[in-house]
Amino acid sequence: MYNPSAAGGAANTQSGNRVFVYEVVGLRQNETTDQNNYPIRRSGSVFITVPYNRMNEEMRRITRLGGQIVSIRPLSALDQGNGTSAPETTNGLQQEKKETKPMTQAKEKEKKDIPVNIYRPNAPFMGKCLSNEELVREGGEGTVRHLKFDLSGGDLRYLEGQSIGIIPAGTDKDGKPHKLRLYSIASTRHGDDLDDKTVSLCVRQLVYKHPETGEQVFGVCSTYLTQLNVGDEVKITGPVGKEMLLPEDPKANVIMMATGTGIAPFRAFLWRMFKEQHEDYKFEGLAWLFFGCAYTPNILYKEELEKLQQEFPDNFRLTYAISREQKNAKGGKMYIQDRIAENADELWNLVQKPNTHTYICGLKGMEGGIDEGMSGAAGKFDVNWTDYQKQLKKEHRWHVETY
Ligand code: FAD
């Protein structure tokens, strides 16, 4: 795997041109590859040396041939001449390494029984509100509630990373029933009480000033939910969503980037990884949560997250970006992309691993900053982030849910 500390000078050949080594799996054998006698087997890794000016073209060729790039590293002096550890080059391709298979989410999806739309809007499940607690502490801004609903007596089941629909009570301005709104599930499939009978949400009350009248407007469904009383019954639909599912591989690395209520699916991930005990899932990878908010009292589930971090320091990293309190390297507000820049080498190294999945959840608009941060991280190693990200998406290792 690419060692970031070896970057820079090591990437230069005698002629002064930069050359990189792509480790590729899953290349299809076809006319083109056969003609060139490339030593390819479907299940193994091959190594392709690529001059810097052909990197994008080569990425596209590999994709066309059904291959997946699992790592990119500069060609070192060791690889070029006297090296004993590097495989030999044949027509730009190097011989097969160990048999590695990336654990892609596509494969996992096939295996998994993913529940969807068990309850539809015309026949929703009626879930009783069991609790409704404020998550924003004194001094923070806005209202965010943790809500738990009783699912007993129904068939609703779900997986971490899915969402449910809520149909608020009442009618809209035309007298029609309100449409459903989606909310990411904040509990694991076993629920907060571990009895498989509840589902939890993390809901921010939407409040904004009307752009023309200046009047304060309260969001319909978020206000309905945040003001629920214990015992109230709520129309629930779903579950829906396959984009944010947690990889089944317990050795997978999971990078999570959240703003505000975007923490909801990650709470479910982390509880499954660290708080619950499972026979078939014992997490051994690295989970790294980047959480962005305005003020410290707005860090949702703060105590529980920090407790997990203390208990599992080798497997769980927690990085906050608190925009109104912390300063970035340039003295400006601290956003997630600034934390990405600070950790660029490590993140880039991690993202390249075939068993690393990155998840982004929260406010629409947060992706731009993250792409900026990742462009900087990849750029340090002369890799074009846009192309690389496309590859990650193709491999179902880059997951986004913003709203
Ligand atoms: P509405 O009454 O529907 O008002 C929303 C409308 O208000 C907007 O469409 C826009 O027209 C207008 N508006 C909003 N802000 C402004 C502004 N600043 N200026 C002018 N007009 C504005 N929310 C959560 O709190 N937690 C979650 O976990 C969560 N998960 C989600 C998961 C998914 C997959 C999706 C798609 C959304 C998720 N949401 C979540 C958002 C949620 O679905 C609702 O959109 C949100 O609660 C607002 O709904 P509402 O009925 O309160 O607002």
Side-chain angles (χ1 to χ4, degrees):
M1 187 52 63
Y2 178 32
N3 171 11
S5 62
N12 295 318
T13 62
Q14 278 173 330
S15 62
N17 293 324
R18 283 161 174 263
V19 178
F20 291 78
V21 180
Y22 288 6
E23 182 182 353
V24 179
V25 293
L27 271 181
R28 230 179 2 247
Q29 221 159 350
N30 67 5
E31 257 178 43
T32 331
T33 51
D34 286 348
Q35 277 165 10
N36 291 309
N37 283 330
Y38 289 163
I40 299 165
R41 279 193 218 139
R42 229 193 127 66
S43 57
S45 288
V46 292
F47 295 85
I48 305 179
T49 50
V50 189
Y52 175 65
N53 60 5
R54 289 199 56 244
M55 284 179 87
N56 291 345
E57 194 186 328
E58 191 59 22
M59 265 183 199
R60 284 194 290 274
R61 192 182 72 89
I62 290 165
T63 306
R64 272 202 313 276
L65 294 176
Q68 293 174 359
I69 299 170
V70 295
S71 74
I72 300 174
R73 64 182 173 83
L75 186 71
S76 68
L78 194 68
D79 292 332
Q80 290 171 57
N82 52 7
T84 48
S85 63
E88 267 177 42
T89 306
T90 319
N91 284 338
L93 283 168
Q94 296 181 322
Q95 78 190 25
E96 190 173 350
K97 209 183 89 181
K98 60 188 185 300
E99 302 265 307
T100 52
K101 277 188 187 170
M103 173 64 84
T104 67
Q105 188 135 354
K107 284 178 195 157
E108 287 163 25
K109 272 182 194 165
E110 285 164 20
K111 279 194 274 155
K112 220 185 273 181
D113 168 27
I114 306 167
V116 265
N117 289 322
I118 297 172
Y119 286 91
R120 292 180 181 274
N122 55 5
F125 176 74
M126 297 305 293
K128 194 186 283 178
C129 176
L130 295 174
S131 64
N132 179 355
E133 289 158 16
E134 183 59 59
L135 291 170
V136 178
R137 292 171 308 284
E138 218 182 310
E141 61 178 19
T143 285
V144 182
R145 315 282 295 189
H146 181 75
L147 292 130
K148 185 169 72 178
F149 298 98
D150 184 9
L151 298 181
S152 52
D155 298 322
L156 192 69
R157 58 195 175 83
Y158 59 88
L159 296 175
E160 299 77 19
Q162 290 194 296
S163 301
I164 52 170
I166 300 287
I167 305 173
T171 51
D172 64 17
K173 60 179 176 9
D174 302 321
K176 291 190 176 149
H178 284 299
K179 293 206 164 63
L180 72 82
R181 271 73 162 173
L182 290 177
Y183 292 90
S184 307
I185 296 170
S187 49
T188 74
R189 65 189 76 177
H190 301 298
D192 286 350
D193 301 328
L194 302 176
D195 59 3
D196 296 6
K197 286 185 183 150
T198 67
V199 64
S200 298
L201 301 179
C202 171
V203 180
R204 181 178 82 91
Q205 184 184 26
L206 174 66
V207 185
Y208 64 93
K209 279 220 162 71
H210 192 283
E212 282 147 30
T213 64
E215 243 179 297
Q216 201 167 43
V217 184
F218 296 91
V220 172
C221 193
S222 58
T223 299
Y224 163 73
L225 283 171
T226 50
Q227 295 184 352
L228 280 177
N229 292 313
V230 170
D232 287 349
E233 290 217 320
V234 171
K235 289 178 182 162
I236 300 176
T237 67
V240 294
K242 295 182 181 175
E243 174 62 23
M244 298 288 284
L245 299 176
L246 183 63
E248 275 182 355
D249 177 10
K251 291 192 168 71
N253 301 306
V254 179
I255 303 170
M256 297 161 274
M257 299 180 183
T259 50
T261 55
I263 188 85
F266 305 144
R267 177 183 186 264
F269 287 7
L270 293 166
W271 267 227
R272 179 159 173 79
M273 288 168 177
F274 301 114
K275 280 189 87 159
E276 297 177 353
Q277 302 293 322
H278 312 102
E279 272 310 306
D280 57 343
Y281 182 79
K282 294 188 196 331
F283 183 70
E284 293 171 40
L286 174 70
W288 191 350
L289 172 66
F290 292 81
F291 180 75
C293 63
Y295 301 101
T296 300
N298 284 97
I299 300 174
L300 308 174
Y301 306 105
K302 183 172 182 288
E303 270 176 34
E304 291 168 82
L305 289 172
E306 289 173 9
K307 190 162 174 273
L308 284 187
Q309 218 249 309
Q310 277 162 16
E311 282 175 30
F312 301 92
D314 298 335
N315 298 88
F316 178 38
R317 284 179 72 171
L318 181 57
T319 305
Y320 296 137
I322 308 174
S323 62
R324 306 286 173 90
E325 295 176 9
Q326 298 172 333
K327 294 257 178 287
N328 64 21
K330 291 182 189 146
K333 288 180 183 163
M334 176 66 85
Y335 294 112
I336 288 184
Q337 65 260 40
D338 300 308
R339 291 297 188 201
I340 293 175
E342 281 176 10
N343 294 280
D345 290 3
E346 260 184 292
L347 272 173
W348 178 238
N349 197 20
L350 202 56
V351 156
Q352 290 179 88
K353 295 188 176 171
N355 61 344
T356 298
H357 288 249
T358 305
Y359 295 83
I360 294 166
C361 190
L363 293 177
K364 237 189 186 78
M366 69 183 282
E367 284 167 85
I370 287 170
D371 281 338
E372 211 180 286
M374 291 307 296
S375 279
K380 283 180 82 177
F381 305 102
D382 287 329
V383 175
N384 178 308
W385 171 246
T386 310
D387 290 339
Y388 198 82
Q389 189 189 39
K390 275 188 201 144
Q391 184 69 27
L392 291 178
K393 284 182 181 168
K394 238 183 149 167
E395 292 171 16
H396 303 281
R397 299 201 289 120
W398 188 262
H399 313 261
V400 181
E401 193 153 271
T402 53
Y403 43 83

